[in-house]
Amino acid sequence: MSIWDWTYVWAAFPYLYRGALVTIQATLIGFAIALVLGLVFALVRRSPNRLVSVAMAETVEFIRSTPLLLQVFFVYFVGPQFGIVIPAWIAGIGVLGIHYAAYCSEVYRAGIEAVEGGQWEACIALNLSRSRTWRAIILPQAIPPVVPALGNYFIGMFKDTPILAAIAILEMLQQAKNFGAENYRYIEAITMAGAFYLLFSLVASAIVQATAFWLNRRYHLQ
Amino acid sequence: MSEPMVRFENVTKRYGALTVLDELNLDIERNEKVSIIGPSGSGKTTVLRMLMTLERINEGVIRVEGEPLTHEERNGKLVTASDRHLRRVRGKIGMVFQHFNLFPHMTALQNCMEAPVSVLGLPKKEAEERASELLEMVGLGDKMKHFPIQLSGGQKQRVAIARALAMRPKVMLFDEVTSALDPELVGEVLNVIRKLGSEHDLTMLMVTHQMGFAKEFSDRVCFFYGGKIAEQGPPEQLFGDPQEERTRQFLSAVLEAG
């Protein structure tokens, strides 16, 4: 028996393909949630109401300080005890999104705080509304510089998707493992999964860099 | 006697234990050009910042055309102004900052169009006409499509002036607008301000270190010291024959520095 057998490689492909689709979907949807919700967290955090702002800060801290796997378990296994039954797919992606939203909100916050105070003052002097100030002036300056940091979390989330296997979602690594178990042969499938994670991460990081470059140019930021 | 354009009534501003402005009383008449001078820490910039509502005041009332700015009347009593009230009244005031504070992601033209479109609701076309006219007026007709980073300090400050004017304010505040400029660029900005003063009906209030300009341009000069107006008067008098010892000391120190 050779160390590497190409017949297993071909045989494992359909498994990995199905798993990869799940992994990519979970990453894209989960990160879309993280991006939007993270921004909401960051904005709520800046609420002039101290109570609201502190409550948001504590929530973010709480989410960041407990394991992702625990949060997934909590929603999926503990929820039903209280009559809250959420399908695995929604629970998994939802928790991924919320977990990473907490991280992203800190990144947004850093970006927002880096915008010069004079910009806010100019907005007041020109009498811009609060929402216009955010949309047209502050966020276009705050977000482009933090795109690389957001991109790191994008890749981080992608690599965290195997956690979904814990609530019986057949993502790529789980598919690879199942293939291995059925054939008493792991090396090809697990290696291929690893190669795919690497490939996706490299492509994603190139996309993130291109996006950052494009945004910074689009908004004429240095 | 008509209502003054701006009136400070016993206005006090504190930062913690530090009193920056101490019961300031100051009237500024319509179309009057007033310069504020004084050593750093004397509270002169704070006067502008309070009038622009960038800072809340601790005591007193500021009125614009008789209407309270920092407060509003409710059931016959003056209460601290709501955001809505602030937005309405501060529309009469425009400000130019020491560090320009242009929006870096917008062209000169867009900088001047943003507020007229989103605040005054002007149609884009009209806002663009107004903005280009003003940019022409400040001598930047050929730089409209430039971004702030492509402009010199003096050009940036002229865009900032055009941007503030695009809102048609009645009062313009200039906060050390030439202090961040290279010396050779100061003149072009002062020329624009000079032109504004002579061609427009504008009440102008400026904090400045350009004594020569203050002397030539202002109707009245206020010398601030320790959060109070230590001395004020027409420029010929204040510069030519200052009554207060502190004024004399300040002026001789400034003139010595060139």
Side-chain angles (χ1 to χ4, degrees):
Chain A
M1 199 162 99
S2 60
I3 291 179
W4 184 265
D5 189 336
W6 288 97
T7 56
Y8 285 106
V9 172
W10 307 127
F13 251 116
Y15 284 78
L16 285 165
Y17 173 71
R18 281 196 299 274
L21 285 186
V22 171
T23 292
I24 289 176
Q25 261 182 53
T27 307
L28 293 181
I29 300 173
F31 200 65
I33 295 172
L35 278 182
V36 174
L37 202 60
L39 185 56
V40 172
F41 285 179
L43 295 182
V44 172
R45 178 88 198 260
R46 290 194 55 110
S47 158
N49 184 331
R50 251 192 84 71
L51 209 69
V52 173
S53 143
V54 169
M56 190 71 251
E58 292 302 323
T59 308
V60 165
E61 197 50 47
F62 172 75
I63 297 173
R64 295 201 313 158
S65 310
T66 52
L68 176 57
L69 186 58
L70 181 144
Q71 291 168 12
V72 171
F73 279 173
F74 208 87
V75 170
Y76 189 65
F77 294 123
V78 180
Q81 283 194 6
F82 299 93
I84 306 165
V85 181
I86 303 172
W89 178 242
I90 293 177
I93 293 185
V95 170
L96 262 184
I98 293 170
H99 188 83
Y100 274 89
Y103 286 98
C104 289
S105 80
E106 292 293 292
V107 173
Y108 283 123
R109 199 161 71 93
I112 291 165
E113 276 169 14
V115 175
E116 271 181 60
Q119 295 290 306
W120 294 95
E121 296 189 344
C123 291
I124 293 177
L126 291 169
N127 223 352
L128 299 189
S129 69
R130 255 185 100 71
S131 74
R132 187 69 192 167
T133 299
W134 279 109
R135 272 184 301 131
I137 309 301
I138 304 301
L139 293 181
Q141 295 181 63
I143 293 177
V146 299
V147 165
L150 291 172
N152 282 342
Y153 284 123
F154 178 57
I155 292 163
M157 170 188 270
F158 169 68
K159 292 187 296 171
D160 268 350
T161 50
I163 272 189
L164 298 174
I167 53 171
I169 293 173
L170 288 174
E171 47 65 57
M172 187 169 57
L173 190 58
Q174 184 67 11
Q175 289 277 16
K177 199 194 100 189
N178 288 351
F179 176 85
E182 283 167 26
N183 298 281
Y184 304 107
R185 179 85 193 181
Y186 287 95
I187 185 166
E188 289 83 5
I190 301 288
T191 307
M192 287 160 72
F196 176 80
Y197 281 113
L198 178 64
L199 182 72
F200 183 96
S201 296
L202 291 176
V203 171
S205 108
I207 292 173
V208 166
Q209 273 181 35
T211 309
F213 180 77
W214 175 79
L215 274 176
N216 280 305
R217 243 192 27 182
R218 157 88 175 70
Y219 288 109
H220 289 254
L221 304 171
Q222 282 304 290
Chain B
M1 177 89 191
S2 67
E3 199 85 67
M5 190 69 211
V6 175
R7 163 169 277 179
F8 291 84
E9 279 175 27
N10 297 315
V11 174
T12 297
K13 173 72 187 172
R14 290 185 216 94
Y15 296 113
L18 180 73
T19 303
V20 191
L21 279 176
D22 191 8
E23 299 198 353
L24 172 70
N25 284 293
L26 176 62
D27 280 4
I28 295 156
E29 301 305 324
R30 200 171 292 271
N31 290 341
E32 197 182 11
K33 322 295 179 213
V34 177
S35 292
I36 297 177
I37 62 171
S40 66
S42 60
K44 51 195 196 310
T45 286
T46 308
V47 173
L48 301 193
R49 294 178 57 82
M50 291 187 315
L51 186 50
M52 193 65 257
T53 68
L54 297 173
E55 313 261 358
R56 297 240 162 194
I57 64 178
N58 296 104
E59 278 160 44
V61 183
I62 301 175
R63 290 174 190 275
V64 178
E65 294 187 306
E67 186 178 20
L69 166 73
T70 49
H71 296 69
E72 58 188 313
E73 267 167 84
R74 216 176 281 157
N75 308 327
K77 269 199 267 179
L78 280 186
V79 295
T80 305
S82 63
D83 278 355
R84 228 174 91 214
H85 177 84
L86 280 180
R87 283 200 75 198
R88 195 169 57 75
V89 183
R90 77 168 157 236
K92 296 175 182 174
I93 303 165
M95 183 162 181
V96 183
F97 299 89
Q98 179 177 359
H99 295 288
F100 330 125
N101 299 348
L102 290 180
F103 304 135
H105 57 302
M106 297 180 176
T107 61
L109 193 66
Q110 288 166 335
N111 261 283
C112 299
M113 288 171 62
E114 171 57 37
V117 171
S118 72
V119 179
L120 306 180
L122 243 57
K124 272 228 163 81
K125 207 169 160 297
E126 203 177 314
E128 188 173 338
E129 274 166 28
R130 186 188 283 194
S132 359
E133 252 170 53
L134 287 165
L135 286 169
E136 294 278 358
M137 189 203 65
V138 300
L140 293 173
D142 55 337
K143 303 281 189 207
M144 294 194 205
K145 295 277 153 65
H146 285 54
F147 285 86
I149 197 157
Q150 299 164 312
L151 301 172
S152 73
Q155 291 168 336
K156 282 186 214 175
Q157 197 57 294
R158 285 185 280 153
V159 174
I161 292 171
R163 179 175 72 170
L165 287 174
M167 295 298 280
R168 305 257 163 98
K170 295 181 172 178
V171 184
M172 277 283 275
L173 310 178
F174 296 87
D175 185 15
E176 301 191 26
V177 294
T178 56
S179 297
L181 300 178
D182 291 336
E184 77 272 19
L185 303 177
V186 169
E188 62 189 65
V189 173
L190 294 183
N191 279 337
V192 166
I193 297 176
R194 206 173 274 135
K195 195 161 138 190
L196 272 183
S198 60
E199 293 173 11
H200 294 255
D201 283 344
L202 266 179
T203 307
M204 293 162 84
L205 188 52
M206 66 179 69
V207 169
T208 184
H209 293 295
Q210 302 283 330
M211 296 305 150
F213 185 72
K215 191 171 179 177
E216 155 218 345
F217 182 77
S218 337
D219 302 314
R220 178 158 49 125
V221 180
C222 299
F223 172 67
F224 271 70
Y225 192 91
K228 285 175 177 296
I229 299 178
E231 184 171 356
Q232 60 177 319
E236 311 78 52
Q237 184 203 313
L238 195 118
F239 289 111
D241 182 23
Q243 303 299 306
E244 296 280 327
E245 181 54 29
R246 282 183 301 225
T247 318
R248 279 195 287 272
Q249 275 172 4
F250 174 76
L251 288 175
S252 72
V254 172
L255 295 177
E256 208 168 296

